[in-house]
Amino acid sequence: MVRLRPSIRLYPSGLPRLTLSRHTRFALLLILTAAVIEVFLHTQSWAVQQPDHELDEPFYTSCQEPAIGQPREKAAMVMLVRNQELMKALKTVQSIEKHFNQWFHYPIVFLNDEPFSKEFISVMNTTVSGEARFELVPKKDWLFPEWMDVADAKAAVKAQGEAGILYAGLETYHHMCRFYSGKFYTLEALKDYNWYWRIEPDVDFYCSITYDPFVEMAKHDKVYGFTVALPEEPRTCPSLFRKIADYKELNNIPTTELWKATVAASWMPWPLRSFMGWFRHRDRSGDGWSLCHYWSNFEIANLDFFRGKEYQRLFEYLDKTGGFYYERWGDAAVHSLALHTLLPSHKVHHFEDFGYRHDWYYQCPANAPNGQLLESKLLPVGPYSPEREGGIGCRCECDGSRTRNFAGYCTNKLKEPNTARRLGMVESVRSWFP
């Protein structure tokens, strides 16, 4: 055993200074070196495996002649909306009809927790080119769970609102997040469909979508598609990552490359690392969550996966913890962490060729050079933005000189398991900024 042999010397300032023997300094250097090596090996264990080829590329990188006679998937677009949001809903429907559904005529299912007005039904019936369906969300799916202490949950919601947590003071928002996280998938209204495309009121689609994304998702064995990836607001879900990490460990679920991509490995050495588990957004071992998630106001996904036993069992586990009310767990974070737990990475697709805006965030691909199919009599005449080198969009109306107005860090991080090319140091730093 190395023994400390300190000696005390007084320096001109009058303060004592501890000096260590040569053997002690050597021992401390060894410990420090071992700690650095251990941290390096630990962080490397969370490094995402680099594939030898691209596992997720755009389905098309230019305009296609819409395959009007092509067989369709059993799919629908779905919008959760209230009567008073009629004009915002109309804006979205007009946009998606112009840029996609005028050729493919998929049904749009409108969901509401109260009966739709005659005006809403009349306007949408005259706007949707396919079938418009108007469905009521069952009351049992839009209330506090039966087992929950409602007064206690209401008090928690009120406290979150007073704390200024985003949307957390609204009971209906908690109901919506819980609904979209699990109950949505078991709706009777959706039982005849295998795929859904979630759309929201007040959304813009900027590019012509001239192929059928449902058909391409099925053909390429995809389960989930997204446009925008962002960091979650941290105060909404302080315990969510820990709950899902516990569930993963409890059920011996193997670590996927997507799970590695979402984890922010701790730089604290063992055995101090486990103490980091006391903090929010960390698992029991002390490793953290990057907060990166797919923005779920746009998603094209396989209903069979979300209706399946694995996902529904995870949802029921989360639901029983009460986190949808005692915190403000969002469906986007729940979907993302569940996908990262249960899916191989190649089953997730980035629709980077779609132009899309919701709230103040947008994605805008540049138009593909020599790929605008000028001879087509079906595609909209314009106006649309100039073609740009490297562009993949089809007749996009937005300015493709800037493909997004948000930081690309989360998009790059969550796409890493599917990407053969790795970002350089400068590119990685730039991805932190819009």
Side-chain angles (χ1 to χ4, degrees):
M1 178 181 294
V2 177
R3 301 179 64 182
L4 293 176
R5 299 177 58 190
S7 62
I8 303 295
R9 296 178 183 175
L10 291 179
Y11 285 80
S13 62
L15 296 176
R17 180 172 178 180
L18 182 67
T19 60
L20 303 175
S21 69
R22 181 167 57 87
H23 295 295
T24 301
R25 291 198 302 271
F26 180 71
L28 291 176
L29 180 61
L30 281 179
I31 293 171
L32 179 61
T33 302
V36 169
I37 293 173
E38 193 279 335
V39 167
F40 173 77
L41 293 175
H42 175 74
T43 54
Q44 285 300 110
S45 72
W46 285 105
V48 174
Q49 183 176 352
Q50 183 174 359
D52 58 9
H53 65 282
E54 297 296 324
L55 300 181
D56 179 53
E57 295 185 299
F59 295 137
Y60 295 95
T61 56
S62 63
C63 294
Q64 305 298 305
E65 192 71 14
I68 294 176
Q70 175 180 273
R72 303 286 184 255
E73 288 291 321
K74 295 172 66 177
M77 288 170 279
V78 184
M79 179 188 290
L80 181 65
V81 60
R82 289 204 162 99
N83 291 313
Q84 58 266 36
E85 296 176 297
L86 172 58
M87 298 314 296
K88 291 181 178 180
L90 180 61
K91 177 181 180 179
T92 298
V93 172
Q94 288 174 333
S95 184
I96 203 166
E97 285 289 335
K98 173 186 175 181
H99 295 97
F100 168 72
N101 212 37
Q102 64 165 310
W103 305 301
F104 297 94
H105 309 302
Y106 276 103
I108 302 181
V109 180
F110 297 97
L111 300 174
N112 198 342
D113 65 325
E114 57 187 28
F116 281 101
S117 66
K118 291 181 180 179
E119 180 187 16
F120 191 102
I121 292 172
S122 174
V123 169
M124 290 306 167
N125 273 329
T126 58
T127 307
V128 177
S129 63
E131 178 189 9
R133 293 180 54 191
F134 306 91
E135 302 287 348
L136 196 61
V137 175
K139 283 293 182 186
K140 63 182 177 61
D141 295 339
W142 200 263
L143 295 171
F144 293 97
E146 292 180 357
W147 51 265
M148 181 170 279
D149 184 327
V150 174
D152 195 36
K154 285 176 176 284
V157 170
K158 181 181 178 182
Q160 292 169 63
E162 291 172 348
I165 299 173
L166 189 65
Y167 305 132
L170 305 172
E171 286 183 17
T172 53
Y173 200 87
H174 289 261
H175 292 325
M176 181 198 71
C177 290
R178 177 175 179 259
F179 170 72
Y180 262 136
S181 293
K183 302 299 182 181
F184 166 77
Y185 301 108
T186 58
L187 285 176
E188 183 71 15
L190 300 181
K191 67 179 178 64
D192 293 330
Y193 303 117
N194 296 333
W195 298 89
Y196 75 96
W197 180 342
R198 178 171 162 181
I199 56 178
E200 297 278 327
D202 190 23
V203 157
D204 288 311
F205 290 91
Y206 292 131
C207 306
S208 292
I209 303 167
T210 54
Y211 62 89
D212 188 332
F214 299 117
V215 168
E216 297 301 324
M217 289 283 282
K219 183 191 301 183
H220 291 87
D221 194 27
K222 303 292 184 179
V223 167
Y224 187 86
F226 72 99
T227 53
V228 174
L230 297 168
E232 181 61 290
E233 209 289 318
R235 294 196 299 162
T236 62
C237 54
S239 70
L240 176 60
F241 178 70
R242 175 65 164 269
K243 297 296 185 187
I244 294 184
D246 285 350
Y247 178 88
K248 177 178 173 294
E249 185 176 346
L250 180 67
N251 290 276
N252 297 313
I253 298 174
T255 296
T256 66
E257 294 302 308
L258 278 173
W259 184 264
K260 288 182 180 180
T262 202
V263 165
S266 174
W267 286 83
M268 187 69 71
W270 180 91
L272 301 177
R273 187 181 305 124
S274 60
F275 292 109
M276 298 296 292
W278 295 348
F279 295 94
R280 297 177 172 185
H281 307 298
R282 293 190 174 268
D283 61 20
R284 292 186 183 276
S285 299
D287 292 304
W289 175 33
S290 66
L291 297 175
C292 291
H293 69 294
Y294 310 118
W295 213 25
S296 63
N297 46 73
F298 173 103
E299 52 188 9
I300 298 177
N302 187 302
L303 280 163
D304 291 334
F305 168 79
F306 286 102
R307 285 190 292 233
K309 182 171 64 175
E310 285 187 321
Y311 179 83
Q312 285 295 315
R313 188 167 60 181
L314 174 55
F315 166 71
E316 292 296 336
Y317 162 83
L318 293 175
D319 196 28
K320 291 296 184 184
T321 68
F324 289 107
Y325 295 98
Y326 293 114
E327 296 178 12
R328 203 232 73 193
W329 293 354
D331 51 276
V334 171
H335 290 179
S336 300
L337 287 171
L339 290 164
H340 298 162
T341 302
L342 301 173
L343 279 186
S345 64
H346 70 270
K347 291 184 178 289
V348 176
H349 179 66
H350 181 205
F351 284 99
E352 58 186 297
D353 56 317
F354 281 23
Y356 176 76
R357 180 209 59 83
H358 179 65
D359 287 343
W360 51 86
Y361 294 117
Y362 67 77
Q363 173 179 273
C364 174
N367 280 320
N370 304 315
Q372 300 309 300
L373 211 63
L374 301 180
E375 68 276 13
S376 174
K377 299 184 182 303
L378 291 177
L379 302 190
V381 175
Y384 49 88
S385 297
E387 300 172 4
R388 294 180 184 275
E389 188 65 33
I392 59 173
C394 175
R395 303 201 179 188
C396 300
E397 300 150 6
C398 52
D399 181 6
S401 63
R402 189 183 185 196
T403 56
R404 63 175 72 93
N405 68 339
F406 55 92
Y409 172 75
C410 281
T411 303
N412 294 332
K413 189 169 179 60
L414 297 185
K415 290 181 65 172
E416 193 175 15
N418 288 333
T419 307
R421 177 181 174 271
R422 290 292 184 255
L423 297 180
M425 180 67 72
V426 174
E427 289 176 299
S428 295
V429 172
R430 284 178 178 170
S431 73
W432 282 91
F433 305 96

